[in-house]
Amino acid sequence: MSAAKPPTAPLGPELALAGSVAESAEVLVIGLTTGTEGPEASVGDALDDATAEAVLAGLVAVGATGKAEELTRIPAPAGSGVASILAVGLGDPDDVDAQRIRECAGVAARALTGTTVAATTLSVLDLGAAAEGFSLGAYTFTRFKSAKSAPKDNGKPLARVELLVEEPGDKESTSTLARSAAIAEAVATAREFVNTPPSHLYPAEFAARAEALGTAAGLEVEILDEKALEKSGFGGILGVGKGSSRQPRLVRLTHKGSGGKSVALVGKGITFDTGGISIKPAAGMENMTSDMGGAAAVVATVVLAAKLGLKVGVDAWVPMAENMPSSTAQRPGDVLTQYGGTTVEVINTDAEGRLILADAIVRACEEKPDYLIDTATLTGAQMVALGNRTPGVMGTDEFRDRVARISQQIGENAWAMPLPGELRADLNSKVADLANVTNHRWGGMLAAAIYLKEFVAEGVQWAHIDVAGPAYNTGGPFGYTGKGGTGVPVRTMISVLEDIEQQG
Ligand code: BES
Ligand code: ZN
Ligand code: ZN
């Protein structure tokens, strides 16, 4: 078995505060808003008035309007200290908020492949958002490109961003940048896990890499292998994993915190989902490398919580299995016993995520957390209901709404969805306590959540975030999001943890 090798290459550009444009900077990225009298530039103190005017005139001369995400690159006027200016449209000045800046910084970063050092004034508008946008936008995944196809110089991602601020030595700027850099690193960590192919990331390897990251961040780490899972009766994880020669795991990563509330995180870690005996169609099956997106986000978030020194206790539970068809796989009609004793008739082996999550949720609830967030690439129905970029949140009413609100504030945009009571009866089984699917396709995202609800202990405030579409971008790049893993919902979860730290 290969030893855990957490990636050694940096997962994004170096970020630094600066008071003026450094000599090493090749390009200055500025924001352009639409104004009634033509576009307006925001350059802070980076350029003197005459140079700023010349830059704006140059941009207008080549057709820049300032509409959102528009990119215009011009040679820099003499004396500006850089070779070129890249203007990114921010749209209507009334609509410029953190998310707009994050998206536009990402658009700029993606356009700057081949550039080593960029300076930007977007940080004058919102330092944290600009830092996150540049860092997330510059992330690429090239670990499996050999010399034959690896990006050459002009295709290499942006290596360093100098974020211009009025007082670069200032305590507040320093801590804002440190937080944003840590968040961007966590998102990149989750993306890296998702992007690593199933040939290289299988349960034991995923567990070992999670352990390496957790240990380095000072977390307590516990890994249950197949024998330990058997001993304690984790029938859901074992049932899903038994079709594969690569044995399942349950990883626990604990950030102790220092008093205050406790939060359990649970993430679906199916390192590849063929569907099992209820096998999926071949077209698009390769995307099921993303079926551990929830697990990746949970691992990255608990590590981030430790790095940020959050006071809340965070107990992360990550069930990992590979869902394969074979002579040892579970069959439609099999009955398994979830951890804690609930028996389940497995009608469809492709509804495997809820089986591994249920075990982990019951185990997590034994520790009596105040809150529990689980996240998973759980249902195709999530995409039918909400599309590719909008996670669905279900759970106990108040906490569900709080998670959705926070997610919308930070730009991951999760949307609250109901758990209609009448669907519960559709999960009744003739032979066991529950069936793992309903016998119809209506409200598939909600039915999956209703299944999970059966396993959440009384009194625990619970949110379930279905990220089937949002965790993995199969289309073209947009904003700060490239192809492949997106890291959603890392930023939602860390912001919820911070909110709980502040509000209880
Ligand atoms: N991993 C899939 C859900 C999924 C689909 C994630 C597409 C990302 C993109 C999950 O395990 C699954 O197969 N769910 C089934 C459930 C059904 C059998 C009730 C689905 O959504 O079809
Ligand atoms: Zn499945
Ligand atoms: Zn799945």
Side-chain angles (χ1 to χ4, degrees), residues 167-477:
E167 288 176 55
D170 175 69
K171 234 181 152 177
E172 202 185 315
S173 300
T174 311
S175 70
T176 299
L177 180 61
R179 175 178 177 276
S180 290
I183 288 174
E185 190 191 15
V187 172
T189 299
R191 283 170 155 184
E192 200 79 2
F193 275 134
V194 171
N195 290 335
T196 302
S199 47
H200 292 69
L201 197 79
Y202 42 90
E205 175 66 15
F206 191 8
R209 291 191 192 190
E211 178 178 31
L213 285 175
T215 306
L219 301 177
E220 264 175 37
V221 184
E222 190 188 327
I223 300 179
L224 301 190
D225 64 10
E226 67 275 17
K227 288 184 214 80
L229 291 168
E230 190 80 59
K231 213 168 146 195
S232 302
F234 287 92
I237 300 172
L238 289 165
V240 172
K242 73 188 202 177
S244 175
S245 59
R246 296 142 138 197
Q247 297 296 320
R249 295 287 184 268
L250 175 62
V251 177
R252 181 184 188 182
L253 302 162
T254 309
H255 166 62
K256 281 263 183 246
S258 47
K261 301 281 182 187
S262 62
V263 185
L265 301 178
V266 177
K268 172 180 172 181
I270 295 294
T271 57
F272 194 74
D273 183 12
T274 63
I277 297 296
S278 313
I279 198 163
K280 289 180 179 295
M285 201 201 275
E286 69 281 5
N287 294 332
M288 285 302 115
T289 183
S290 68
D291 213 19
M292 30 58 70
V298 162
V299 170
T301 301
V302 66
V303 167
L304 177 59
K307 287 188 178 165
L308 295 178
L310 295 196
K311 291 194 185 70
V312 283
V314 184
D315 206 4
W317 297 90
V318 193
M320 301 170 174
E322 186 177 55
N323 191 20
M324 296 289 277
S326 76
S327 70
T328 61
Q330 62 178 348
R331 292 152 290 255
D334 278 1
V335 172
L336 59 74
T337 303
Q338 302 266 195
Y339 181 77
T342 302
T343 59
V344 179
E345 182 185 8
V346 180
I347 306 266
N348 188 321
T349 65
D350 197 12
E352 83 298 340
R354 60 198 76 181
L355 300 175
I356 69 167
L357 289 171
D359 277 4
I361 287 172
V362 173
R363 180 64 192 88
C365 286
E366 286 181 349
E367 306 296 325
K368 303 205 180 324
D370 296 300
Y371 298 92
L372 187 151
I373 304 175
D374 79 80
T375 184
T377 49
L378 203 58
T379 65
Q382 178 276 317
M383 287 176 276
V384 176
L386 294 170
N388 273 331
R389 298 186 191 177
T390 306
V393 199
M394 292 134 280
T396 51
D397 292 356
E398 213 179 301
F399 190 48
R400 171 203 63 203
D401 288 346
R402 184 175 177 187
V403 170
R405 176 173 44 79
I406 291 169
S407 182
Q408 286 159 33
Q409 281 163 3
I410 57 86
E412 286 184 340
N413 303 330
W415 199 258
M417 298 295 278
L419 298 177
E422 75 276 7
L423 283 177
R424 170 59 188 83
D426 301 343
L427 290 170
N428 286 340
S429 160
K430 287 200 182 67
V431 299
D433 298 338
L434 275 176
N436 77 328
V437 293
T438 65
N439 65 357
H440 57 76
R441 37 190 292 270
W442 314 122
M445 171 171 61
L446 318 178
I450 286 168
Y451 183 91
L452 297 179
K453 181 173 183 257
E454 290 292 306
F455 299 91
V456 179
E458 202 67 44
V460 176
Q461 303 211 55
W462 168 56
H464 158 64
I465 313 176
D466 193 334
V467 289
Y472 197 65
N473 178 26
T474 53

Side-chain angles (χ1 to χ4, degrees), residues 9-11 113 138-147 149-152 155-157 192 195-196:
L11 294 178
T113 47
Y139 169 86
T140 57
F141 184 72
T142 51
R143 280 176 66 210
F144 292 88
K145 295 274 189 192
S146 78
S149 68
K152 305 282 176 294
K156 290 220 168 105
E192 200 79 2
N195 290 335
T196 302

